[in-house]
Amino acid sequence: MMTKILNILLVLTTLSADGESLRIIPAADGFSFIRLVRGDSDCAGRVELLQGEQWGTVCDKGWDLKDADVLCKELGCGLADKAVRGAAFGRGTGEIWLRHVKCSGHEASLTRCPRVVKGDPTCTHDNDAGVKCSGAMLIPTLSLLSPHTALSPREAVRFSCTVLLGHHLNDFHLYKRGIATPLVTQRVGFDQSRVEFTLSNLKTTHQGSYSCLYRIKGIPPSSSMLSSPPSNTINITVVELLTPQHWYNMSIEAPTGSVIKGHSFNITCFTEKQYPGGSFQLRLIRSNDTVRQSLPALTPLVTFSFSNAQLSNEGFYYCLYVVQLDGRTFVSRESQPFRVSIRDPDPVLSPMVISWLASVLTFLVTLVVVVIIIIVARVKLCKRQENHLALELETRTSVDNTYVALGDEQGRYIG
């Protein structure tokens, strides 16, 4: 096995160095090699096969464009421009390995086509078959005709797909990565090498990476079709900005939508879908002008703070989302407007003053109640003390009277 590999490498090296234009590839059967000899390019020449360490030729009996198409595709040389007969590229030597090849045009290799291997005495090296292929399939170039790669929904984008002439071009296709079928197909004439594609009424589903390719068609009676390698890619961004939402935080002492002069208030803008480098814009429309201020959208929401409300802050507020892509500025729709009115504080009965007065009044009422309770308690205590003194005085009076009475009686008795 090693000897066979070394022999093959030796043959390849020798043939590559002999000055001829050669293209040698392994055949699909796994043990043969195919080459073109004595052509004016790598894709033209006498057809030869390496089998059993010996190169041999192909007989031109029945050799046609279908057979040549299979060989050209196998060699990576496009499709056949001509199936050459009669040893036009010179007489070969050795065995004639294939005779009466009958390809349908769809086989993966010349060795897969039905044929007579040996035994036709009419095939000699004067009948060696050759081929002229269209050449290796060139890579097309996709170009952007529109001025920008970032677009808005319902806009259009234009591309061009170009390839150098030299093939029997049939059509061009525009593909979007991830989708197996082409978005646009455009047929071309034999001498046309450039087409333009237009995608109109863009949607967000059109965002992605695009490439193009072309197909060539075999010369009749061949019906073979062959696709080129894909082109370079171009990325398209379809910018869809959602309408922001908003909410606000204002003074609790003021009615809804109002702020007391000198107090603070906040307005928050929010969006679900963001793009890098975006920002939120708060727009204030006043009676005589419009005021704008912006904050970078580092998160899905930002808050605009106003620490000292003044009459200049009064008006209708809107939230917008703004982003710059590919040199273009995209602005969302305005949020629903909401009005902020600035109210002067009431110098007498403002809610804060009323609250303070209520607190003071509550304290005073509580104090009065406590004082009353203390006074009542002291009155009751004083009454108890007076009743006790009166009782004590009455008792003493009774005793004194008794002593007096007793003294009078004793005096009378002595007298």
Side-chain angles (χ1 to χ4, degrees):
M1 182 66 179
M2 183 61 67
T3 302
K4 181 176 180 180
I5 294 175
L6 290 175
N7 288 338
I8 292 173
L9 292 176
L10 179 61
V11 170
L12 293 178
T13 304
T14 302
L15 291 174
S16 299
D18 66 1
E20 295 182 352
S21 234
L22 300 176
R23 179 178 288 258
I24 305 173
I25 65 160
D29 59 11
F31 57 86
S32 300
F33 281 80
I34 301 177
R35 71 182 182 182
L36 299 180
V37 181
R38 295 191 180 278
D40 56 1
S41 71
D42 287 349
C43 292
R46 183 175 66 246
V47 183
E48 292 190 354
L49 277 77
L50 177 66
Q51 294 185 357
E53 303 182 18
Q54 183 179 0
W55 286 102
T57 60
V58 176
C59 181
D60 64 6
K61 301 293 184 179
W63 183 252
D64 60 17
L65 283 169
K66 292 182 179 180
D67 308 318
D69 274 344
V70 172
L71 177 65
C72 290
K73 287 188 289 184
E74 187 176 10
L75 291 170
C77 286
L79 294 177
D81 282 341
K82 187 176 182 181
V84 181
R85 301 179 183 179
F89 294 103
R91 299 176 77 254
T93 60
E95 294 287 343
I96 299 175
W97 289 121
L98 298 180
R99 305 163 189 264
H100 297 281
V101 180
K102 293 294 181 183
C103 300
S104 67
H106 303 291
E107 291 84 359
S109 171
L110 191 65
T111 59
R112 299 293 191 190
C113 297
R115 78 272 189 189
V116 176
V117 179
K118 286 185 179 181
D120 187 347
T122 62
C123 282
T124 68
H125 285 298
D126 290 329
N127 305 109
D128 286 342
V131 69
K132 286 186 177 180
C133 302
S134 60
M137 298 285 283
L138 302 176
I139 299 176
T141 300
L142 183 67
S143 303
L144 182 68
L145 300 180
S146 299
H148 301 284
T149 59
L151 303 115
S152 296
R154 294 177 295 280
E155 288 186 330
V157 62
R158 295 172 58 239
F159 302 94
S160 70
C161 188
T162 308
V163 67
L164 295 177
L165 285 173
H167 295 287
H168 307 293
L169 299 181
N170 184 73
D171 50 29
F172 283 83
H173 300 278
L174 180 67
Y175 282 87
K176 179 176 179 289
R177 180 177 295 174
I179 300 178
T181 57
L183 270 65
V184 184
T185 297
Q186 189 165 326
R187 295 183 63 86
V188 294
F190 178 79
D191 59 346
Q192 189 175 352
S193 61
R194 179 182 181 274
V195 297
E196 294 185 6
F197 300 109
T198 300
L199 297 177
S200 302
N201 194 24
L202 290 178
K203 302 177 182 178
T204 55
T205 54
H206 285 106
Q207 178 167 302
S209 180
Y210 288 83
S211 63
C212 70
L213 58 80
Y214 64 92
R215 296 192 305 171
I216 61 174
K217 184 177 182 180
I219 299 174
S222 170
S223 60
S224 296
M225 297 285 287
L226 187 61
S227 296
S228 73
S231 70
N232 57 299
T233 59
I234 294 177
N235 293 318
I236 295 298
T237 302
V238 180
V239 182
E240 182 185 38
L241 299 182
L242 303 179
T243 302
Q245 301 175 8
H246 61 75
W247 60 86
Y248 50 86
N249 180 20
M250 298 182 179
S251 307
I252 59 175
E253 299 87 358
T256 302
S258 298
V259 181
I260 296 176
K261 187 176 181 179
H263 286 206
S264 64
F265 68 100
N266 300 322
I267 298 175
T268 300
C269 300
F270 167 79
T271 185
E272 295 180 357
K273 189 173 183 179
Q274 290 184 276
Y275 291 85
S279 62
F280 284 98
Q281 184 181 105
L282 185 65
R283 184 176 298 174
L284 168 61
I285 298 180
R286 300 186 295 204
S287 58
N288 56 350
D289 62 358
T290 299
V291 179
R292 298 175 178 84
Q293 53 181 308
S294 298
L295 287 175
L298 302 179
T299 62
L301 58 86
V302 298
T303 299
F304 296 85
S305 299
F306 302 85
S307 59
N308 184 18
Q310 299 297 322
L311 292 177
S312 59
N313 300 126
E314 189 171 72
F316 290 91
Y317 285 85
Y318 301 83
C319 285
L320 301 96
Y321 185 74
V322 183
V323 65
Q324 290 189 342
L325 295 173
D326 190 31
R328 300 183 68 186
T329 300
F330 297 88
V331 182
S332 72
R333 293 182 178 179
E334 297 176 335
S335 66
Q336 290 294 322
F338 59 97
R339 177 175 173 77
V340 172
S341 59
I342 308 299
R343 297 185 57 177
D344 291 324
D346 192 331
V348 179
L349 295 177
S350 66
M352 185 176 296
V353 172
I354 293 174
S355 176
W356 182 80
L357 290 177
S359 299
V360 173
L361 182 61
T362 301
F363 173 76
L364 292 177
V365 169
T366 303
L367 183 62
V368 170
V369 170
V370 171
V371 171
I372 292 174
I373 293 173
I374 293 174
I375 293 174
V376 170
R378 292 184 63 86
V379 169
K380 288 183 178 181
L381 180 61
C382 290
K383 286 184 177 181
R384 288 178 182 176
Q385 291 177 351
E386 289 177 356
N387 291 337
H388 179 72
L389 292 174
L391 179 60
E392 183 178 356
L393 180 61
E394 183 180 353
T395 302
R396 288 180 180 178
T397 303
S398 299
V399 171
D400 292 341
N401 291 334
T402 301
Y403 286 144
V404 171
L406 289 176
D408 289 343
E409 290 180 359
Q410 185 176 3
R412 289 176 187 161
Y413 178 74
I414 294 177

